[in-house]
Amino acid sequence: MTVKTEHYERTLEMEGWSKGKDQSLFRILAPLKEKGTSTLKSGKNIYTYLPKTDSTIRLTGGMMQSSWMGSHFTNDDLVRESRLAEDYTWAISFEGERDGVKVMEITLTAREDAAVAWDKVVLTINTTDKLPLEQRFYDEEGALIRTMRFSDVKDLGGRRLPAQLTMIPADKPTEFTRFVYREAQFNLDLSDATFSKARLKK
Amino acid sequence: MSTLKMALRNVGRNRRRTLITTIATALAVGLMIVYTALVDGVINQMERSVLVMDIGQVQIHKAGYREDPTIYATIDDSDAILTRLDDAGVHGTSRVFGFALAAAGSSSAGVQMRGFDLVREPQVTEIHTRIRDGAWLDAADPDGVVIGKKLARTLGIGVGDDLIILGQATDGSMANARFKVRGVLKAVNEPIDRAGVLMSQDTFRQLMAMPAGVHEIAVVGKIGGDLGPTTQLVRDAAGPWEVLNWRELNPVMADLLDNSRGAMTFMILLTYSAVIMVVFNAMLMSVFERVREFGILKAIGLSPLRVATMIVIEAITQASVASVAAVAFGLPLAFWLQRDGLDFSSFASDIDFAGMAMEPIWYASVTPNCVIEPLIWLFALTLLAVAYPAGKAALIKPVEAFRQR
């Protein structure tokens, strides 16, 4: 993960596991200073393990609104990640060619009873390979908050997937958080114990 | 016979009435002197505790920091500013702030870390004296922090316990460290009580990867009196940075103190309306008792003006004697309260009023104003009170006066 902001640029190497939408575990491999720092998402809770102080902390209150590992994602973003199909209704808003690529634009609108972070999500996919190209997130006032770009499609764990995900906050267009997938494996047999607090420390 | 002489004789004639009026007036004015001094003292104390506990008289920030307190909004030339302030004869101290999560055991709370200059802070504020348990920060103990009293309760920790801080350093990394609680504060103000984690500036800089820059410079000059000159002095020293005095920084508190002063004026007016009733009643009675006397005076050719003047002089004479007596017992009492104070510590040792800490001992503050103001009011109101009786006596018709019995 590379994060570039007005004040700093940092690159982290991480490994992570996830099961469904509610369970995931990330661990920092490099730089050395932060090695071993882990984040566990389990349902609505986020736990952080800090090797320097050998402590596990459940993030609460204001900390949920602050940045996850210095990125443009807040801890709250991790928790509120939702299944688009469940929480949104969709409609195809554009179909045709853009910049020489056949694309389909799908506009997702949040269901009224859904507790989601975004009121509207506009998803652009490549009609040929059915892979996402761009995802734009809007708030309840209809303002664009962030854009996620998908690129560098390659073989990951036997699937054709975009290996590079770049998030650009709308109010700071020169900043970004970029995830580059080196390797991926799918359909691993992970038990729920993988996502327990005990596993944070490894 | 001169009007003055007649007036003085009149005062001496009904001794009991004169005595009662004078004593009542003296008592009221004397208590006013004590009351004014005490309320002045308490308000000064409140103002002082607002200032010297934390915010200082004047603060310097980077413009916009107060609205959006990001760790990057720093003042870069704080050392030069502090030197200029020293040269100008006022004390300043620099601070760095950062938000983080504090965890102890299974509880956690959002906190504001405050990195203090351990040499300068005690020269400017008195927060280091507000320790409830344990001790103030010490440069020799970089991992020792001092926390607010409500935070200590929220986290369920006390002196000697561990505290883990987790935040975001300036380089985007996870700032985290284990600290030991060195001290717990008494009530200071709401933000510090609820969320304050105080540490040395060096500790803060290391934790937050922030080698330079400060977020705030707090300045204290002479407490009491006009803020204008001190504000200007700081403005001159601060250069392009935003300079605001405490009234601008905390208008709610400034209003509260002003309102306390207003309430005091109201109380004084209430007391004086009692005084005015006493004087008015006494003078009115003395005029009505002497209606025939005034009739004779008018009949032998005394002008209405001289009659009125005579009565006014009578009133002023009594007020003057009352003032001397009032000062004679009120002033020593006020001075005693200035020295020893009214001790409320048996009721509460740690008074917290409208989110600010208050001393449990109230000291009076004796200024010339405490004496001058009550006396001016006394004479003004005496003149007002005597106007009707004097006018009535002056306009008395001899024939009607004689008919009265």
Side-chain angles (χ1 to χ4, degrees):
Chain A
M1 177 176 79
T2 301
V3 183
K4 185 180 178 296
T5 74
E6 187 191 341
H7 303 288
Y8 56 84
E9 181 165 353
R10 69 197 228 106
T11 301
L12 300 174
E13 251 173 70
M14 291 187 277
E15 57 179 348
W17 300 263
S18 67
K19 184 178 181 183
K21 278 279 179 189
D22 287 339
Q23 289 178 310
S24 57
L25 176 66
F26 291 96
R27 183 171 297 129
I28 295 181
L29 300 173
L32 202 58
K33 188 186 158 201
E34 291 173 75
K35 189 176 177 190
T37 304
S38 330
T39 307
L40 169 70
K41 173 186 153 186
S42 174
K44 294 283 165 211
N45 292 323
I46 299 240
Y47 299 91
T48 288
Y49 172 71
L50 305 159
K52 191 177 151 199
T53 49
D54 188 26
S55 55
T56 301
I57 295 174
R58 186 171 76 88
L59 300 184
T60 52
M63 205 58 196
M64 291 304 284
Q65 297 307 320
S66 61
S67 157
W68 176 68
M69 304 280 180
S71 73
H72 288 90
F73 294 96
T74 65
N75 291 301
D76 203 39
D77 286 335
L78 300 189
V79 176
R80 291 174 74 174
E81 204 183 346
S82 54
R83 287 171 199 250
L84 297 178
E86 277 172 16
D87 294 328
Y88 292 84
T89 57
W90 59 276
I92 295 173
S93 46
F94 178 83
E95 223 176 337
E97 223 170 274
R98 246 182 223 168
D99 303 326
V101 184
K102 283 179 91 178
V103 299
M104 181 188 282
E105 190 187 87
I106 303 169
T107 299
L108 299 125
T109 314
R111 290 180 196 276
E112 268 184 29
D113 54 342
V116 291
W118 312 104
D119 225 47
K120 192 176 82 172
V121 178
V122 177
L123 179 65
T124 310
I125 57 173
N126 185 325
T127 321
T128 319
D129 57 13
K130 304 285 190 295
L131 288 175
L133 289 171
E134 192 184 75
Q135 206 172 355
R136 292 198 302 271
F137 298 88
Y138 296 84
D139 68 3
E140 59 269 30
E141 269 120 45
L144 177 67
I145 302 300
R146 57 170 66 147
T147 305
M148 181 81 100
R149 294 220 169 88
F150 302 84
S151 55
D152 190 21
V153 176
K154 63 180 189 190
D155 237 21
L156 281 170
R159 299 182 185 185
R160 294 287 293 170
L161 286 172
Q164 190 166 307
L165 280 65
T166 309
M167 194 275 260
I168 301 154
D171 56 338
K172 291 166 193 156
T174 57
E175 303 191 355
F176 63 81
T177 292
R178 177 175 295 147
F179 295 95
V180 177
Y181 287 97
R182 296 245 173 91
E183 256 177 64
Q185 283 176 279
F186 296 94
N187 299 322
L188 293 173
D189 190 18
L190 296 172
S191 70
D192 284 351
T194 310
F195 305 98
S196 66
K197 281 204 279 178
R199 281 293 303 248
L200 270 169
K201 297 188 192 182
K202 194 176 185 180
Chain B
M1 192 152 47
S2 78
T3 319
L4 180 66
K5 218 168 179 179
M6 278 196 317
L8 291 180
R9 279 191 188 175
N10 287 341
V11 169
R13 197 164 310 140
N14 193 335
R15 294 237 160 113
R16 194 194 291 157
R17 189 180 61 217
T18 304
L19 202 67
I20 290 172
T21 314
T22 310
I23 287 177
T25 313
L27 210 61
V29 174
L31 287 179
M32 264 0 268
I33 291 174
V34 176
Y35 182 70
T36 312
L38 195 60
V39 176
D40 250 8
V42 170
I43 290 175
N44 285 347
Q45 221 166 306
M46 273 158 68
E47 181 171 331
R48 209 172 155 277
S49 81
V50 170
L51 304 186
V52 301
M53 284 304 160
D54 176 32
I55 75 170
Q57 278 178 309
V58 186
Q59 290 190 346
I60 311 173
H61 298 103
K62 182 176 180 158
Y65 177 77
R66 289 176 318 116
E67 293 76 28
D68 178 20
T70 132
I71 198 165
Y72 303 107
T74 54
I75 300 168
D76 315 318
D77 56 345
S78 61
D79 287 342
I81 294 173
L82 289 169
T83 309
R84 283 199 291 274
L85 288 170
D86 284 342
D87 293 344
V90 292
H91 291 298
T93 183
S94 66
R95 294 152 178 184
V96 286
F97 301 118
F99 295 95
L101 186 78
S106 58
S107 31
S108 61
V111 296
Q112 189 193 27
M113 295 181 290
R114 295 166 169 252
F116 284 140
D117 179 332
L118 296 186
V119 177
R120 282 180 173 273
E121 190 70 31
Q123 297 170 353
V124 176
T125 68
E126 288 172 11
I127 190 164
H128 62 285
T129 65
R130 299 285 299 172
I131 295 286
R132 192 186 69 192
D133 310 314
W136 178 242
L137 301 170
D138 186 347
D141 176 18
D143 291 337
V145 295
V146 170
I147 63 176
K149 63 169 197 172
K150 289 183 185 166
L151 180 64
R153 206 170 51 210
T154 310
L155 294 177
I157 52 174
V159 173
D161 289 338
D162 275 8
L163 180 73
I164 289 163
I165 293 281
L166 167 62
Q168 193 185 339
T170 56
D171 60 2
S173 67
M174 297 271 261
N176 69 97
R178 187 181 290 270
F179 293 107
K180 253 202 170 37
V181 178
R182 238 183 105 75
V184 177
L185 292 166
K186 292 184 197 171
V188 177
N189 57 36
E190 194 54 28
I192 290 183
D193 293 351
R194 194 168 34 77
V197 174
L198 285 48
M199 55 182 74
S200 82
Q201 224 165 70
D202 290 342
T203 305
F204 181 96
R205 291 189 188 288
Q206 209 161 14
L207 173 68
M208 300 303 277
M210 184 182 162
V214 303
H215 297 120
E216 179 175 289
I217 296 176
V219 184
V220 171
K222 199 173 135 289
I223 302 267
D226 196 2
L227 270 173
T230 312
T231 311
Q232 190 52 48
L233 218 113
V234 177
R235 221 155 251 158
D236 293 341
W241 309 107
E242 177 193 79
V243 174
L244 292 172
N245 62 42
W246 74 269
R247 285 186 164 272
E248 296 159 329
L249 289 164
N250 197 342
V252 177
M253 190 57 69
D255 279 353
L256 189 78
L257 291 177
D258 291 345
N259 288 342
S260 310
R261 289 218 159 83
M264 177 183 80
T265 311
F266 182 69
M267 283 299 294
I268 287 177
L269 285 181
L270 277 186
T271 313
Y272 283 124
S273 28
V275 175
I276 200 173
M277 292 315 271
V278 170
V279 177
F280 180 73
N281 187 47
M283 292 316 294
L284 205 59
M285 289 315 291
S286 84
V287 167
F288 283 153
E289 272 174 22
R290 291 184 286 161
V291 166
R292 292 166 71 92
E293 209 178 301
F294 291 128
I296 293 169
L297 287 174
K298 290 290 288 292
I300 62 173
L302 210 67
S303 72
L305 185 65
R306 280 191 71 185
V307 174
T309 311
M310 186 178 75
I311 292 172
V312 169
I313 290 174
E314 283 174 32
I316 286 182
T317 309
Q318 291 180 38
S320 303
V321 175
S323 322
V324 174
V327 173
F329 91 85
L331 207 53
L333 197 60
F335 272 117
W336 175 70
L337 284 175
Q338 178 168 254
R339 204 193 60 204
D340 290 353
L342 272 184
D343 194 345
F344 291 106
S345 55
S346 51
F347 302 107
S349 61
D350 202 9
I351 306 173
D352 187 340
F353 171 65
M356 66 182 156
M358 293 246 347
E359 295 295 324
I361 302 177
W362 288 9
Y363 292 98
S365 155
V366 181
T367 55
N369 210 25
C370 299
V371 176
I372 292 168
E373 212 167 272
L375 290 188
I376 287 176
W377 277 105
L378 171 68
F379 282 100
L381 291 177
T382 301
L383 288 178
L384 197 68
V386 87
Y388 175 69
K392 190 145 181 79
L395 299 176
I396 251 169
K397 290 199 174 73
V399 186
E400 283 167 19
F402 296 145
R403 259 214 306 268
Q404 260 186 26
R405 33 172 283 108

